[in-house]
Amino acid sequence: MKLFIPGPTQVHPDILQQMARPAIGHRTPECAALWGAARAGLRKLMHTENEVLMLTAPASAMMEAAIRNLVSGPSLHVVNGAFSKRWRDIALANGKDAHTLDIPWGEGVSAAGLRAALEERVYDVVTIVHNETSTGTVTPLEPLKAVMQDFPCTLLCVDTVSSMAGSPVLVDDWGIDVCLFGLQKCLALPAGMAMASVSARAMERAAEVPNRGWLLDYLQLAKGNVKEQSPTTPSTAHLYALVAQLKRIEEEGLENRWQRHADMAKATRAWATSHGWVPFPAEGNRSDTVSCIARGEGPEFVGALAALKEQGILVSNGYGDLKNKTFRIGHMGEHNMNDLTNLFTRFDAALNAEVQA
Ligand SMILES: *Cc1c(COP(=O)(O)O)cnc(C)c1O
């Protein structure tokens, strides 16, 4: 199967080989060296000096961790798609006083919109999904920094699951207190680990929040890091693969990697527009890692998606209510322009075959 879905993504064969290495004891110096190398590489990738916590778990575990560690009063959740809604739902499931700032799908929260919401009450956190995978919508975070500085009691928590390592995320420059992601999107590894950087002030907050639980407790995870250990048994297969992949990313050059994704996004939009389809997100909110395309005046595409699937090529239909109205091409991770051009050729052939049938 060729995966052009917005995660999980294609894994490089060399990296798959790393996953096949024999297990090692998780209290050995070898494992500590791996743990330390992964954390150092991640700090560089994320552009942060903050503590980096790691856990063998899906990315959603770190969404829940942010809620359990940082929220005792009201929380604010910017909701502009399925994953940002999930974060609000996680807060509700944990019995928190969760408030929603609804933004139309396909748009991101503006500085003025965020300011108005934060003026209503003192929130412990605001949660934002940087790159809404359900709609291919990116929210520029840099313009929000000045707003956050005027509300110093509110911590900024950002999900970068489908943008980290695919498009620019500058954690410290942008003032992100908690920045979380997993492995199976732009990092192009099999799913299985969750990561988060946590600022010093967020760590201080966690120390004051009761009932943080055990598995996701920031303090316990940070304590393990002192010895370069995980409190629980980590997947050493993922650690080997992660360290090797971070090295591959460094060899490509992070900025080259960002540019490769931006170029693929541009080519995808040009190809879609040439068919009469339109990018779903607003101008200025179009993701570099996943393109969400709406039908517009273009041809019906549902049959082509099914035909591609029969050929072993997966492209995603729209999410939820957007099903059959939009489709999504994930051009993240290891894909290059050549792969994408081949996809367009096959997609066009499937459309033409349908016209002739
Ligand atoms: C995929 C995704 C998630 C969920 O990741 P899991 O590893 O399945 O928990 C969360 N947020 C965004 C933006 C995603 O794209």
Side-chain angles (χ1 to χ4, degrees), residues 39-323:
R39 293 203 315 123
L42 288 172
R43 240 186 258 118
K44 218 165 167 184
L45 175 74
M46 302 172 77
H47 295 79
T48 186
E49 300 291 322
N50 288 340
E51 178 72 276
V52 171
L53 307 178
M54 305 193 293
L55 192 63
T56 300
S60 302
M62 281 298 184
M63 298 170 84
E64 181 144 311
I67 302 298
R68 297 208 57 126
N69 282 277
L70 305 177
V71 180
S72 44
S75 57
L76 179 66
H77 306 276
V78 175
V79 173
N80 63 341
F83 291 106
S84 44
K85 181 175 169 292
R86 176 182 297 184
W87 218 345
R88 192 270 317 267
D89 292 346
I90 288 171
L92 289 172
N94 278 282
K96 306 296 181 185
D97 178 19
H99 297 253
T100 305
L101 173 53
D102 269 311
I103 303 289
W105 288 33
E107 294 175 25
V109 67
S110 66
L114 182 63
R115 180 179 295 281
L118 290 176
E119 272 164 357
E120 280 177 28
R121 61 177 66 71
V122 179
Y123 291 106
D124 283 346
V125 298
V126 55
T127 69
I128 299 177
V129 172
H130 180 221
N131 194 72
E132 244 306 346
T133 320
S134 57
T135 58
T137 300
V138 70
T139 297
L141 296 173
E142 208 175 1
L144 308 180
K145 186 180 175 183
V147 178
M148 293 308 301
Q149 280 168 347
D150 290 340
F151 300 89
C153 296
T154 307
L155 300 169
L156 175 61
C157 300
V158 179
D159 167 335
T160 60
V161 178
S162 62
S163 53
M164 183 60 71
S167 61
V169 181
L170 308 178
V171 170
D172 289 354
D173 282 359
W174 295 351
I176 304 174
D177 289 292
V178 170
C179 176
L180 65 89
F181 56 98
L183 299 182
Q184 74 272 28
K185 309 270 166 94
C186 303
L187 269 142
L189 289 160
M193 283 182 79
M195 322 285 166
S197 65
V198 180
S199 68
R201 64 184 198 138
M203 275 295 177
E204 284 162 24
R205 165 78 64 78
E208 290 164 9
V209 171
N211 300 320
R212 298 185 300 275
W214 188 91
L215 187 62
L216 304 176
D217 178 13
Y218 281 173
L219 271 64
Q220 174 163 248
L221 293 169
K223 201 171 140 204
N225 279 345
V226 176
K227 288 198 278 181
E228 300 295 0
Q229 285 188 1
S230 168
T232 51
T233 318
S235 164
T236 49
H238 282 90
L239 284 173
Y240 279 125
L242 173 59
V243 171
Q245 180 67 348
L246 287 168
K247 191 157 162 265
R248 277 190 82 249
I249 291 172
E250 196 165 343
E251 280 162 8
E252 179 180 11
L254 189 54
E255 287 181 9
N256 295 335
R257 193 176 178 86
W258 291 341
Q259 191 59 49
R260 177 164 56 79
H261 288 83
D263 290 344
M264 289 191 289
K266 205 170 154 201
T268 304
R269 291 194 292 264
W271 166 79
T273 313
S274 75
H275 285 79
W277 295 323
V278 285
F280 176 78
E283 183 105 48
N285 293 110
R286 292 169 186 168
S287 168
D288 284 347
T289 61
V290 50
S291 292
C292 182
I293 309 292
R295 171 129 186 230
E297 303 291 313
E300 176 60 69
F301 53 75
V302 178
L305 296 185
L308 286 171
K309 190 173 174 186
E310 272 178 21
Q311 299 170 41
I313 302 171
L314 284 189
V315 173
S316 290
N317 202 326
Y319 197 101
D321 291 346
L322 294 174
K323 190 172 174 183

